[in-house]
Amino acid sequence: MVATKLMTAEELANLPDDGYRYELLRGALIQMAPPDRVHGARQARLAQQFMNYADRNGGEVTGEAGFQLEVDPDTVLAPDVTYTRPDRVPTDAERGYARYAPDVAAEIDSPSNRPGERRGKLQAYHQAGTRLVLIVNDDKRTVTVEHAEGQSEVLQVGDVFDGGDVMPGFSLPVADFFR
C-alpha cells in the first residue's frame, strides 16, 4: 500500500497559479479546468438572481469562493454560486477561506465531474451545515435539489425552484437556468 500525503487548506492556499482551479476533499487535491463559456454564463445568471434576492433580503452571495468545511483532513470546496442568510454571515471581512458552510451551494456540472466526487462533496456540504445543494445539469436541462435532510428532487424545464424556508420568497423557473 502506498501512503498518499494529504494536503491542508493552508497548502492549498499557497499553490502557485497554474491556470487550474483546485479544491480539497478530505485532504485529497481535486484539479479542475477553468469553466467553459456556457458554464460561466450559467454561473453568472444564477449569481445575478441570488444577488437580486440578497439585495432585497440581506445575506451574502459568492462565486467560486473557498469554504473550509472540514479540518484534519481538510475539505475546501468552491461552489459555483452560494447564498448565506444574513444571520449567519460573519461580521468581519477577514481574508482567506470561509470557515462556515453556506446555506445554499450551487454546482454547475462539467464534463470532468465524476459521480464519486459529487457524492463526497454533497456529504461534506451537508455535514458542514449547507441546507440546499443545487446541481445544474446542462445535458439533461435539470436542476437537482439535494436537501440536507436527505430528500432529492429533480426539477425539469417547466418546473420552478423554490427557496423554501432557506430563501423565503425566492423562486426561479428552471428554464431561466438555461437561457
Side-chain angles (χ1 to χ4, degrees):
M1 181 174 182
V2 176
T4 303
K5 182 188 179 309
L6 298 179
M7 184 175 274
T8 66
E10 184 177 345
E11 290 168 324
L12 174 67
N14 290 313
L15 285 176
D17 184 2
D18 62 2
Y20 287 96
R21 297 179 322 131
Y22 295 95
E23 292 178 319
L24 280 182
L25 187 57
R26 295 179 187 90
L29 188 66
I30 300 170
Q31 180 185 43
M32 301 170 292
D36 67 14
R37 180 184 63 81
V38 171
H39 182 122
R42 302 277 182 263
Q43 182 178 358
R45 181 168 302 285
L46 185 56
Q48 177 185 33
Q49 296 297 321
F50 278 20
M51 190 63 77
N52 290 344
Y53 178 83
D55 285 348
R56 291 187 311 272
N57 298 282
E60 180 176 77
V61 176
T62 67
E64 293 186 14
F67 286 81
Q68 186 169 357
L69 303 177
E70 297 173 333
V71 176
D72 198 19
D74 295 355
T75 293
V76 177
L77 300 179
D80 290 304
V81 182
T82 70
Y83 172 74
T84 305
R85 291 186 339 258
D87 59 308
R88 297 192 56 250
V89 176
T91 55
D92 65 358
E94 186 176 316
R95 306 273 317 179
Y97 300 131
R99 298 245 180 199
Y100 59 92
D103 290 298
V104 180
E107 294 276 1
I108 299 166
D109 259 345
S110 296
S112 62
N113 291 135
R114 294 185 293 280
E117 223 172 72
R118 178 179 300 134
R119 280 190 300 277
K121 286 182 176 187
L122 277 171
Q123 183 181 35
Y125 282 127
H126 290 318
Q127 285 179 344
T130 299
R131 296 179 54 202
L132 295 176
V133 178
L134 308 179
I135 301 169
V136 180
N137 186 300
D138 260 315
D139 294 337
K140 297 177 184 175
R141 296 179 62 79
T142 60
V143 176
T144 302
V145 183
E146 300 283 355
H147 298 263
E149 301 82 25
Q151 310 97 300
S152 180
E153 56 184 316
V154 179
L155 303 176
Q156 313 273 336
V157 171
D159 294 331
V160 174
F161 167 67
D162 175 344
D165 65 346
V166 180
M167 295 176 77
F170 182 88
S171 68
L172 182 63
V174 172
D176 286 0
F177 281 81
F178 303 104
R179 284 195 307 172

